Amino acid sequence: MSPVELMSQWSFGGVDWLIIGLGIVVAYIVFGIAGFGTALVAGPLLILFMPLSKIIPLLVLLDFVAAFGNLLQSRRDVNKSELLRLLPCMAIGCTVGVVFLLNLHSDLLLLLMGLFISAYAIYSLAVKVRPTQLAAGWSMPMGTVGGLFGALFGSGGFLYAIYLNSRLPKDAARATQSALISCSTVVRLSLFLIAGVYADLPLLMLAVCLLPAMALGLWCGRRLTMRMSREAFVRVVTWLVLASGIALIARYLSA
């Protein structure tokens, strides 16, 4: 089957492609600045065109490329002890999340995604002061729930950030988070591969078509990081994420 025939199975019009492409660009601008959050931004747009069970594997493929690009730039600052502490819990959470994603009803996933991203946005906007120091034992719930959310909703990175930023200097926390998200992406990619999700050739072709949009978003995000406050930009995006979450909940209730 030719690439054109594979892509024709998606039945996207010109406006659909524009919306999807812009959603991916904005999502990876956020990723380039914050190091996570692609599904929080792109998910509410993509779910207009495809089910969540397709969106998350698609974004995992794109995250796989983006996360390793970030890791290569900061690998020397990775704190290996914190990374090894979080990894086993993250892997367990990812496994449970993939099982839920592939077996729960799509309408329920829509509601759960809306509740999840709304709760995350409200937390980010409401909590001004983060814990100054979390105990190492917090790696178990943070790693497990982060892995669960990462597999189920495509973004558990904010939990890793809360934990690591309370225990490490800024550069080490960011580098370790990039390494953890890279490992999380590999775990989720492997689980989806084992489950047969990537036997869907149109999904793989769609990911290839969206790679330029992903690369453009990363490029813009890295340059914005040098010109503006990361915290200010992420706060604006958080308001957008909250609006998206409320819209998803409203869509579920109206259906």
Side-chain angles (χ1 to χ4, degrees):
M1 189 176 291
S2 70
V4 174
E5 291 174 324
L6 290 174
M7 291 309 301
S8 66
Q9 297 186 29
W10 287 108
S11 306
F12 296 151
V15 176
D16 298 339
W17 276 110
L18 179 61
I19 294 172
I20 292 169
L22 288 175
I24 293 296
V25 170
V26 174
Y28 283 93
I29 289 175
V30 175
F31 188 92
I33 293 172
F36 63 91
T38 52
L40 296 176
V41 177
L45 283 176
L46 295 181
I47 209 165
L48 299 173
F49 307 100
M50 64 187 77
L52 190 62
S53 58
K54 299 287 186 183
I55 293 171
I56 302 305
L58 171 67
L59 292 177
V60 164
L61 286 170
L62 297 176
D63 283 353
F64 179 79
V65 178
F68 276 96
N70 280 354
L71 178 60
L72 290 175
Q73 295 182 352
S74 58
R75 62 187 183 276
R76 293 182 180 179
D77 294 322
V78 173
N79 186 297
K80 294 181 180 178
S81 62
E82 292 292 355
L83 181 65
L84 294 175
R85 188 176 286 126
L86 286 163
L87 273 176
C89 302
M90 177 271 295
I92 293 171
C94 280
T95 304
V96 175
V98 167
V99 172
F100 284 169
L101 179 68
L102 298 179
N103 290 281
L104 288 176
H105 195 277
S106 58
D107 288 344
L108 179 58
L109 287 176
L110 179 67
L111 175 62
L112 289 176
M113 184 175 186
L115 292 172
F116 167 67
I117 65 176
S118 297
Y120 166 68
I122 291 171
Y123 168 83
S124 297
L125 293 169
V127 179
K128 300 294 191 298
V129 180
R130 302 296 191 270
T132 55
Q133 180 72 43
L134 288 176
W138 278 96
S139 62
M140 295 182 65
M142 291 294 200
T144 304
V145 178
L148 175 67
F149 283 179
L152 192 54
F153 303 119
S155 184
F158 71 96
L159 289 172
Y160 308 144
I162 292 170
Y163 174 80
L164 292 171
N165 287 332
S166 77
R167 293 183 58 82
L168 299 174
K170 180 181 177 181
D171 289 342
R174 185 172 176 83
T176 307
Q177 180 181 325
S178 294
L180 189 63
I181 290 176
S182 299
C183 294
S184 172
T185 304
V186 171
V187 171
R188 287 180 287 155
L189 191 73
S190 301
L191 290 170
F192 286 136
L193 192 61
I194 293 170
V197 174
Y198 293 130
D200 184 354
L201 294 181
L203 181 67
L204 298 179
M205 185 56 61
L206 179 60
V208 172
C209 291
L210 292 175
L211 280 175
M214 180 272 291
L216 176 61
L218 280 181
W219 183 83
C220 293
R222 288 168 182 163
R223 273 145 188 79
L224 281 172
T225 301
M226 296 185 290
R227 296 187 178 185
M228 66 179 294
S229 164
R230 172 179 176 271
E231 289 74 15
F233 183 83
V234 171
R235 190 169 182 82
V236 171
V237 170
T238 302
W239 279 106
L240 296 175
V241 168
L242 177 58
S244 299
I246 293 172
L248 287 178
I249 295 171
R251 183 181 174 191
Y252 172 83
L253 293 176
S254 64

